[in-house]
Structure formats: structure tokens, C-alpha cells
Amino acid sequence: MSGSEYTFKLVQVNLPEPSKLVVMCDKRKRQCVCLCQVYKSCLDGLLPNYQAFYRVCSRLTKHQSTLLSGQDKQLLVALAGMDVSVPHVAVVSLAVCCRALKLCKVPAAVLHAFDDIRLQPASQVVLGLPEHLLAPHAQPSPHPVQLQMTTPFPVTLPECALPADFNKQHGLLAKPYKHLVHRAVLEQHMVEFKSFSTNPFQLNRKGIAHGSRTWQNSEKQVYLFLGYCHHYQQVSQPTLQLFLSSPLIAQYVSFHIAAGHSQLYIRNFLSCAKCVLRWWQSKPGGNHPSFVEGLQWLQTLGLQVADQLPRPSKDPKGLADVGKWMSAPRLVHLIHGAELQSQDQMQQQGVTVETSRYMHDAALAAMTFSHLPPVRLSCIRSLVVPAYTGPCLYPDCKEPSCEGNRLSIMSESPLLMHIQLPHHKNARKWGKAVIEFDVPSDLAQLLHTYLGAPRKALLEHHLLIGDTCPYVFMDMHGRGFVAAAVLTLYWQKWLVSRGGVPMNPSMCRQVFVDERQSNNATAGPSNQGAAMVMGHSVKQWDKWYDMQYHPRLAQNAVDGMQSWRAAMLQSHPPAAPDLTLSSALHCGHVLVSDSEESRYQSCCSDSDIDIDLD
């Protein structure tokens, strides 16, 4: 019987009593056995406990024993008659097993039996495989092997301190662990999970299909979690089955908290974990109640993480104190100076790689801030040149005639350039409405100059002869800014070189909104139109970008109250009612009576009268 990485056979071992043992053969024709099954089937009673045997095997393998998962684990559990809830199945080669048996000083008959399996594999009695064991794996079955999460679920997060060998690059995509990504089981899991998440029509999935960017984020979160399990939890063969372990997830969340990561980072992982659980839930045998409990447990954990961990401060004053904020006037002057200097250098020194790169950077900065309301960085990164005639480069585009996010030259004299952005963050919510506008004349002249000889010089310098890079802006190697992090680092380095601060380019949007919403805002575009170019709405300004929204409204209200109070004092008050004070005293109180009514009113209660009578 074949699994994903092993071939299985059920053999008879004479010890001298006949016993059943599952022998596995991997792709290198190496025979392996399960430690737990060897002990339970053949050694129980011969050794004091299983832990002693496991420690000897672990020492011989230098704690690198393989842990089975997925279909291989299910087959082994079914063939060996083991408990289906066993969390880990450790496997070693027969050679290591024989050395461990010798060190454990088992009887000679046991050693001879295992040596016979190792040295003479054809001499074993291969037992038939019952149909009920084959059914879950070889053909459809109404009773598949049951999948379930590890229970009980943790009721609190464990304490976690950063280990001494803490390394931020612990994911499986880091160089030391990249080979693990190509293990057969993990590769198969990722192919199935991606198909489940990205298929346009997947009716056993909750919600719509994941876009390319959402899938990249999910894939990144999966590899980070599996890398943590491999590096810090000593899991030699990480697979998506580790997401079924709620204690591992709780430890991973504690690890992030100890590392000082933001609540958004942790909640993104928990969202990914829920997607993986739903994938497991859709597989045969995934109808166990523990999945419903696990999804609710993850939901509760995410809500409490959001409540307990503070959001990073985006207040302008706090950002300025740590050197990550520039005011709008200062930023506009800095970018304008870079534009003028790039044009002067081009006139004085001609077209060189250095002057071309300088003009490229000035054009990139001018597109990010100053001339336009700050467009989303994803739109700037994906902007293609006017000469590009190929298909749309947006990976999720389904329109056959779409030209993508494009910079176009409408006319040369007078110069008129146009930008259309069909692919932006809110395109789906806006009913596929396109953001498009004519480029201001100063910016159009700068872009037109750059797209000529300077851009060609850069392409030739990076051995990309001709317009082989379809994007307007490119990194230091002549490639488009496909990854957002590359553009962020590039922008920060340029800004510091110009005398600015290492501010994230996406922070330009907050700088712009902060100036437009302030009490001393200068004349400029309408808020609604600017928000449209930025790809959102004015409501989003108040909610996410304008950190002074509530303090400013409160202060304006208090300041306005002084004018209101002065107006009230200057107005003529209404005539006062005719009230007189009565000189009659009762129980120490002064009674006020109306002039139209002279009837005596007592202020005493019944209890007061009783006290007086007493």
C-alpha cells in the first residue's frame, strides 16, 4: 500500500510469539518502523517503559526522528491498530531501531528477528491487508479516518520568553529551512489548500475566492508558523496538520506577544489559521465537533488579542518625536527641490546612469506626494509605461480587454498625459469603477522627460535592452517594484539621502489628510475628490488617517462655547416671575408661596409630625 512518501506492508515477526509489525519503505528504499508500534507490538513487557526506548532512539538520531503526518500517518495508524488521536508518530530506520534494541539489552531472539527484517526483507511473512483498512485511502468510503483537533483547548495563553537563539527569520522560506518547503507532504497540502482558497467556485468554502495578494499573505503566515514549529518546537517534518494542535497555536501567539509584534500581525495569523481549519473541515473525515469548537476558540482568541494589545501609535506628535514624521510643507519643498535638481543635472551633465536614476527618483517621489493626492502605492508599483502593449499584468484580472494600471500619452503638443487605475483596493466595492485623471502639466513634463532617454539608459545599464521592463518605476536592478517592502525601503533610503526622515511612503497619505483636515488648511482640492483619487472615502479619513479628528473637534467645540456664552450674555433676558419670600417659618425652613395662592403648605412629612408630637 502506498502513501504520499512511504510504501507500507504488514509483516509477521516471530519473537518467538508471532507479532504484527508495519514496515515502511521510503523513496530511497530505506526501511523504517514506527517507534510506538515497535514497542507496543513487540517490546511491551521486555523493557521497563516506552520513554527509555524512545530516548535511546532519539539520541542515536540526534533528535531528528521523522514525524509522520497526513495520509502516511492515517495509513500507519489504521494498519497498526493504534489510537487515532495519537498526536505524533515518530519513525526511524530499521538500522537505528536495531542499534537501539541492542543498547536496551533486549533478548537475543528479538534482535535476530529485527536483523532478519533488515537484512533479509524477502524472508518475512507479508500479511494481507483487510478491505476495511484500504477503504479510507484507496477508494471512497462512508467511514473515512476521522480528523480532529487536539483537545482540550487551552483556556489561557502560556507564558513565553524569547529563546536565546531568537531569530526574526524563522519561517520556512528563510534559507536554512527552505528545503523543507519542497517535502512531498507539505507540497501536497499547500497545493490542496491553495486550490481550496483561490478556486472561483468552491461551494464548500465560506466566502469568495482569495485574491493573489490575500493568498500570498496566507502562504507567508503558514510558512512562518511551520518554521516556528520546526525551529523552536523541534518538529522535523512540518505540515499543515500542525494547525490542528491548539496548544501549538497558543504557544505561537505567546511567542509573538513576547517578540513585541502588533495585534494586527497576530490577528492576520489567526485569520489564516481559521482558513486552514476550514480546509481540513472540508476533507473526508473533517466533520468532527472539535473543528467547530476550534473555530470559535480562534475567534475568541482574536477578539481578546485585539482588546488587550494596543495599536501602534499614529499620532503626528508621537511620530515626530521618534523621527518618523514630516509636515506637508516640508515634504513638498523637499520633493520640489529634488525635481529641480534632477532637471539641472540632466541639462549640465547629460544623460548618464547617475542622472537618469536621480530623475527616476524625483519622478517617483512626485507621483507619491505633492502633485497628486497620495495614490495607493500598489497603483504606483503596477503602473505600466505608455509603450506597453501586452496583456494586463494584474494577476486577478478577468477582463480580456483590460489594459491594467496605465500611464498614457494623449497628445505630445500640447503635452497631455492620462492615468487610469482599474485595479485598486476598493475596485470591487465600487462596482469596478476606474480611478482616472489627467496628469498636471508640471508632473507630466517630468514624467515625459524621464520616459525618454533617461529610462532607456537605466534599462541598458541593467542589461535589459529595450522596454523589457513594462513598469514605469524600477528598482536598482531594473525590475519593477513587485513587492511592497522593496518600494518602502527604496523610498526611505532616498528620503534620508535628501535630508528627510525614514518615513514609510504610505505615511504620506496621513500627512496629506492631517493637513487637509487641520484648522489652518490651505486652499486645495475638495476632500471628496481627493479621497476618490486616494481610493477610499472621507469617512476613512476620519477613521484611519486623521489622528487629530477627535481632539480637534473637541477643542473647536470648547472654543465655540465662548462665543455662544458671550452671545447669551448680550441678549435681553426674559421677565422674571413675581416671587416673594414668606416670613413664616416652619421646622427651620423658609416657605416660598406664590402671590396668587396664600394656602399654607407644610414641608413636613408624617414622620416629622410624629417626632414633633413626641
Side-chain angles (χ1 to χ4, degrees), residues 542-568:
D542 301 336
K543 187 174 182 181
W544 298 112
Y545 292 93
D546 186 8
M547 295 297 106
Q548 298 298 317
Y549 176 73
H550 294 95
R552 185 177 61 253
L553 288 186
Q555 187 61 52
N556 289 345
V558 172
D559 295 342
M561 282 297 295
Q562 310 315 308
S563 301
W564 178 86
R565 179 175 177 274
M568 293 297 103

Side-chain angles (χ1 to χ4, degrees), residues 100-378:
L101 292 174
K102 188 174 182 180
L103 290 174
C104 292
K105 299 180 180 180
V106 299
V110 176
L111 285 176
H112 291 321
F114 277 86
D115 281 334
D116 183 61
I117 297 174
R118 183 170 62 92
L119 300 175
Q120 303 178 18
S123 65
Q124 305 137 26
V125 178
V126 180
L127 305 177
L129 300 175
E131 290 185 1
H132 73 278
L133 294 180
L134 287 172
H137 314 283
Q139 59 187 10
S141 169
H143 305 291
V145 175
Q146 185 72 61
L147 296 170
Q148 67 180 76
M149 293 194 67
T150 305
T151 54
F153 294 96
V155 296
T156 187
L157 292 179
E159 294 291 333
C160 178
L162 287 181
D165 59 342
F166 170 66
N167 184 3
K168 292 184 179 180
Q169 295 184 348
H170 61 268
L172 288 189
L173 295 181
K175 283 186 177 180
Y177 320 115
K178 207 166 186 176
H179 65 282
L180 296 173
V181 175
H182 303 292
R183 295 285 180 90
V185 177
L186 180 56
E187 275 192 336
Q188 182 63 27
H189 281 180
M190 292 304 294
V191 168
E192 294 180 10
F193 178 47
K194 182 177 182 180
S195 176
F196 174 83
S197 302
T198 60
N199 277 349
F201 299 100
Q202 188 77 29
L203 302 184
N204 59 349
R205 178 194 64 218
K206 181 180 179 181
I208 61 177
H210 287 181
S212 58
R213 185 173 180 181
T214 305
W215 166 250
Q216 290 172 4
N217 291 336
S218 297
E219 186 180 38
K220 176 184 175 182
Q221 293 292 344
V222 166
Y223 285 139
L224 284 172
F225 174 65
L226 298 184
Y228 164 82
C229 295
H230 173 74
H231 186 68
Y232 296 112
Q233 300 295 329
Q234 287 73 49
V235 177
S236 59
Q237 188 176 349
T239 67
L240 292 191
Q241 197 160 0
L242 295 175
F243 280 88
L244 302 182
S245 173
S246 53
L248 269 181
I249 293 177
Q251 291 172 2
Y252 186 58
V253 172
S254 294
F255 169 79
H256 279 305
I257 295 176
H261 295 157
S262 68
Q263 58 147 295
L264 182 61
Y265 190 90
I266 300 174
R267 292 173 66 191
N268 285 341
F269 162 72
L270 295 176
S271 178
C272 173
K274 287 191 284 187
C275 293
V276 176
L277 288 190
R278 291 191 181 101
W279 169 70
W280 278 115
Q281 199 175 20
S282 69
K283 298 178 73 66
N287 57 349
H288 195 273
S290 62
F291 283 99
V292 178
E293 299 176 26
L295 289 171
Q296 182 58 49
W297 180 78
L298 289 173
Q299 179 73 12
T300 303
L301 179 56
L303 291 174
Q304 296 188 6
V305 164
D307 178 64
Q308 294 300 318
L309 297 185
R311 281 183 172 272
S313 174
K314 295 176 65 176
D315 179 67
K317 185 178 183 305
L319 292 172
D321 292 341
V322 296
K324 292 187 177 182
W325 179 268
M326 293 178 65
S327 65
R330 182 186 174 192
L331 194 54
V332 169
H333 279 84
L334 186 147
I335 294 174
H336 181 63
E339 295 176 40
L340 296 179
Q341 188 173 356
S342 68
Q343 295 169 357
D344 291 342
Q345 287 183 347
M346 190 66 65
Q347 292 177 355
Q348 296 172 5
Q349 303 177 23
V351 179
T352 65
V353 174
E354 183 178 357
T355 58
S356 298
R357 175 58 63 177
Y358 207 96
M359 179 163 283
H360 165 278
D361 295 346
L364 174 60
M367 276 288 296
T368 307
F369 196 75
S370 182
H371 291 276
L372 304 172
V375 182
R376 290 191 183 275
L377 296 180
S378 59

Side-chain angles (χ1 to χ4, degrees), residues 440-456:
S441 56
D442 290 346
L443 178 59
Q445 187 61 53
L446 178 64
L447 290 172
H448 189 264
T449 304
Y450 157 69
L451 290 175
R455 184 171 184 275
K456 185 177 180 181

Side-chain angles (χ1 to χ4, degrees), residues 473-499:
F473 302 108
M474 62 187 82
D475 61 13
M476 296 298 293
H477 302 284
R479 300 170 300 197
F481 293 101
V482 179
V486 177
L487 177 57
T488 297
L489 295 175
Y490 187 95
W491 161 273
Q492 289 178 336
K493 184 177 180 180
W494 175 84
L495 196 60
V496 171
S497 69
R498 296 292 305 177

Side-chain angles (χ1 to χ4, degrees), residues 58-107:
S58 297
R59 189 169 69 249
L60 292 175
T61 59
K62 297 181 181 180
H63 304 282
Q64 295 295 322
S65 59
T66 302
L67 297 181
L68 284 191
S69 61
Q71 185 182 8
D72 288 325
K73 176 185 173 182
Q74 295 174 10
L75 281 169
L76 178 62
V77 166
L79 290 173
M82 299 165 60
D83 184 4
V84 294
S85 64
V86 60
H88 304 297
V89 176
V91 172
V92 295
S93 66
L94 264 172
V96 171
C97 182
C98 290
R99 290 203 301 271
L101 292 174
K102 188 174 182 180
L103 290 174
C104 292
K105 299 180 180 180
V106 299

